[in-house]
Amino acid sequence: MFTELLKKRRSVRKYSSGPLAEDQIRIITEAALLSPSSRNIRPWEFILVRDPDTLRYLSRAKEGAKMIADAALAIVILGDTEKSDVWVEDCSIVASNILLAVTDIGLGACWVQIRNRFHSGTERAGDYVSARLGVPERFEVEAVIAVGRPEEKRPPLGESDMDWSKVHQERFSA
Ligand SMILES: Cc1cc2nc3c(=O)[nH]c(=O)nc-3n(C[C@H](O)[C@H](O)[C@H](O)COP(=O)(O)O)c2cc1C
């Protein structure tokens, strides 16, 4: 059931070694490509990274990216800034769909935020990533999704994760 999948999805940051199967990568990539987008423009491109050296490079993109070094796969999500002014929203849906597809097939993943983050004092994390991967200038790196076989077990989300006070009826109520 869909709600069960939503509860099962947790950020997984520890992975066991070994490659993913091609059909697993296919399922995950399909989830990305099947995402909805504003005016159906699909202003995205994806780079699938499996090379250990490149994974290590990406893991140094910014704080909170270390787990990429041990991932079997990193999916770099690029937004085409010239095709759409809402590429951020579109690419965020892609990232969310990837996380859910990964969970559905028993793998683990973590969203690593790149957009609006810095590699160092002055270098943008997106520029750091793009330099290595040959990304043309009009693209922004939205996020990198680290994917692997989970080596940690996270409890599913439950009742305590749902803050019903954030849900208003008809009008905003304090
Ligand atoms: C937009 C966004 C950016 C995130 N960026 C990072 C990140 O850079 N590094 C990281 O370890 N986790 C990142 N996360 C994962 C969140 O920390 C995580 O989703 C949150 O703590 C809730 O935990 P859960 O995913 O296990 O339910 C990000 C999640 C989202 C939605």
Side-chain angles (χ1 to χ4, degrees), residues 6 44 102 127 140 163:
L6 291 174
W44 50 58
V102 163
D127 292 340
E140 287 275 348
D163 183 353

Side-chain angles (χ1 to χ4, degrees), residues 52-70 112 114 118-120 123-126 128-129 132 144:
D53 273 347
T54 314
L55 290 171
R56 272 191 292 277
Y57 178 90
L58 293 176
S59 76
R60 296 189 291 268
K62 58 151 222 168
E63 293 252 328
K66 276 197 192 74
M67 81 296 276
I68 299 173
D70 300 322
V112 175
I114 298 295
F118 280 84
H119 167 66
S120 61
E123 191 183 5
R124 296 163 67 233
Y128 172 88
V129 171
R132 171 80 171 226
V144 175

Side-chain angles (χ1 to χ4, degrees), residues 9-11 13 62 64 67 110-113 154 157:
R9 186 223 51 80
R10 300 300 313 272
S11 295
R13 299 181 177 88
K62 58 151 222 168
M67 81 296 276
C110 187
W111 180 321
V112 175
Q113 181 69 20
R154 305 279 320 276
L157 299 170

Side-chain angles (χ1 to χ4, degrees), residues 44-151:
W44 50 58
E45 306 274 338
F46 311 115
I47 304 177
L48 307 182
V49 176
R50 284 174 270 190
D51 173 64
D53 273 347
T54 314
L55 290 171
R56 272 191 292 277
Y57 178 90
L58 293 176
S59 76
R60 296 189 291 268
K62 58 151 222 168
E63 293 252 328
K66 276 197 192 74
M67 81 296 276
I68 299 173
D70 300 322
L73 171 72
I75 304 169
V76 181
I77 302 175
L78 307 172
D80 190 330
T81 61
E82 291 181 5
K83 277 197 179 152
S84 173
D85 59 348
V86 291
W87 61 268
V88 174
E89 288 83 345
D90 294 337
C91 288
S92 299
I93 295 171
V94 163
S96 179
N97 281 354
I98 289 173
L99 296 180
L100 291 171
V102 163
T103 305
D104 196 39
I105 59 175
L107 297 175
C110 187
W111 180 321
V112 175
Q113 181 69 20
I114 298 295
R115 191 182 69 85
N116 278 354
R117 296 291 179 263
F118 280 84
H119 167 66
S120 61
T122 50
E123 191 183 5
R124 296 163 67 233
D127 292 340
Y128 172 88
V129 171
S130 293
R132 171 80 171 226
L133 303 182
V135 176
E137 261 203 14
R138 70 174 193 280
F139 293 98
E140 287 275 348
V141 184
E142 159 90 2
V144 175
I145 311 293
V147 185
R149 254 185 289 284
E151 206 172 63

